[in-house]
Amino acid sequence: MQKKLSVLVATCALVGLSACSVLPKAADESKNWSAEKLYAEAREEMAGGHYEAAIPLFQRLETNFPFGVYATQAQMEIAYAHYKAGDQAEALAAVERFIKLHPNHAQVDYMYYLRGLVNFNDQLGFFSFVYEQDPTERDPRATREAFAAFKALVDKFPNSKYAADSIERMSYLINAMAQYEVHVANYYYRRGAYLAALNRAQDAVTNYSDAPAREEALFIMIRSYDKLGMPLLRDDTQRVFLLNYPNSQFLNPNARGEAPWWKFWAKSGPKPSPKDAVE
């Protein structure tokens, strides 16, 4: 009896598998779409903010129609969609792939610009926490990479329409890197590591001489020299400080300062999508 039951179960299983094999599979409705249809649907998903849904449509467009303007436009759109979806790694990979495949493309400057934006808005976005946390308190790796990306754009395409915004962002990033050094210097100073504080403040003054953070760096140097019992260097630094910043807010701790420098980007600069080359 048990043997017959086992045979019956096995037979049912085979019948079930056979039935499954002959049932029609769910059709991929986009499989036979034209390039125009795929592109229109993908752009509609993008317009609705459905970036994850748009990406596979652009990928299918590139795969099914690998030659011509649709394929290159799809590659740019894929990079932009990953960027808007917050997937930094995939966005950068798509950007690098496009630059490698199309180094002389008419819009390759945009991809250099997008590479900068991706790093500028690392992880949740450089501005997503701008009202809660000074970005200089975070790992400066993305800051340096963003600066390098924007610099590459400006150096290679000085007449690009993205150059002016890139230069402005580079100025911001220079001060971000300087302010990071100041942040670390303050950290050491608060813990009584005055020599370490002095060294980090000196780095900010030396390497970022035009950055607004230089003011605070000099002030930290004055206090550090004082704590280290070095009055001559303290007084020399103070003379430089007063000459350059006679009305510094650091001279009056009760003065109400302006909004933090990093809120300059609270309104954000342009973050355009790829220019539609097929319209």
Side-chain angles (χ1 to χ4, degrees):
M1 181 66 181
Q2 185 174 359
K3 183 176 181 181
K4 291 182 179 180
L5 182 59
S6 299
V7 171
L8 179 61
V9 170
T11 302
C12 291
L14 289 172
V15 171
L17 289 173
S18 299
C20 289
S21 65
V22 297
L23 289 175
K25 295 181 179 179
D28 182 348
E29 60 176 336
S30 68
K31 183 177 181 180
N32 298 315
W33 284 356
S34 66
E36 292 82 359
K37 173 70 171 175
L38 277 168
Y39 187 71
E41 291 293 330
R43 287 299 295 266
E44 185 175 342
E45 295 289 359
M46 292 280 281
H50 308 136
Y51 305 111
E52 293 85 352
I55 290 169
L57 292 175
F58 283 125
Q59 289 172 335
R60 168 149 285 179
L61 174 60
E62 182 187 0
T63 300
N64 291 359
F65 306 94
F67 306 106
V69 68
Y70 279 107
T72 54
Q73 183 69 23
Q75 290 166 9
M76 288 191 291
E77 298 282 3
I78 289 169
Y80 181 72
H82 280 304
Y83 161 65
K84 294 294 289 183
D87 193 336
Q88 182 198 34
E90 290 294 335
L92 288 175
V95 166
E96 298 301 337
R97 176 172 177 260
F98 185 92
I99 292 174
K100 182 177 180 180
L101 291 174
H102 312 286
N104 299 314
H105 190 274
Q107 295 184 52
V108 73
D109 62 328
Y110 170 76
M111 300 305 282
Y112 278 85
Y113 178 66
L114 182 59
R115 181 167 61 183
L117 289 180
V118 172
N119 284 297
F120 196 81
N121 297 271
D122 189 12
Q123 296 178 358
L124 297 179
F126 221 67
F127 304 126
S128 65
F129 56 86
V130 76
Y131 293 105
E132 294 86 22
Q133 182 186 21
D134 185 334
T136 61
E137 298 179 15
R138 297 170 63 88
D139 184 349
R141 175 187 57 82
T143 308
R144 290 192 292 266
E145 291 178 355
F147 182 87
F150 287 127
K151 187 176 187 301
L153 167 66
V154 173
D155 290 345
K156 195 172 183 65
F157 306 100
N159 298 319
S160 169
K161 64 181 179 180
Y162 306 109
D165 183 68
S166 296
I167 291 171
E168 192 172 4
R169 289 174 187 268
M170 285 167 65
S171 297
Y172 166 86
L173 291 166
I174 286 173
N175 196 52
M177 290 184 282
Q179 193 65 42
Y180 178 80
E181 296 298 318
V182 169
H183 172 76
V184 175
N186 272 316
Y187 173 85
Y188 285 133
Y189 184 88
R190 289 194 300 268
R191 283 154 180 77
Y194 303 119
L195 182 58
L198 175 64
N199 289 335
R200 296 306 285 257
Q202 283 179 326
D203 285 345
V205 171
T206 302
N207 297 325
Y208 309 103
S209 58
D210 295 327
R214 179 175 182 267
E215 177 183 353
E216 187 175 0
L218 281 169
F219 188 68
I220 294 172
M221 288 177 62
I222 294 169
R223 292 189 297 161
S224 297
Y225 280 132
D226 185 63
K227 292 291 187 180
L228 291 168
M230 306 172 75
L232 293 178
L233 290 173
R234 177 200 62 198
D235 294 344
D236 285 344
T237 306
Q238 185 166 317
R239 278 192 290 271
V240 173
F241 180 83
L242 293 174
L243 181 64
N244 287 276
Y245 309 103
N247 300 313
S248 174
Q249 62 177 334
F250 295 105
L251 299 175
N252 182 6
N254 296 320
R256 178 180 296 179
E258 297 179 353
W261 67 271
W262 43 273
K263 288 193 177 181
F264 169 76
W265 280 105
K267 295 181 180 179
S268 179
K271 301 178 188 176
S273 61
K275 179 181 178 182
D276 194 339
V278 298
E279 287 183 343

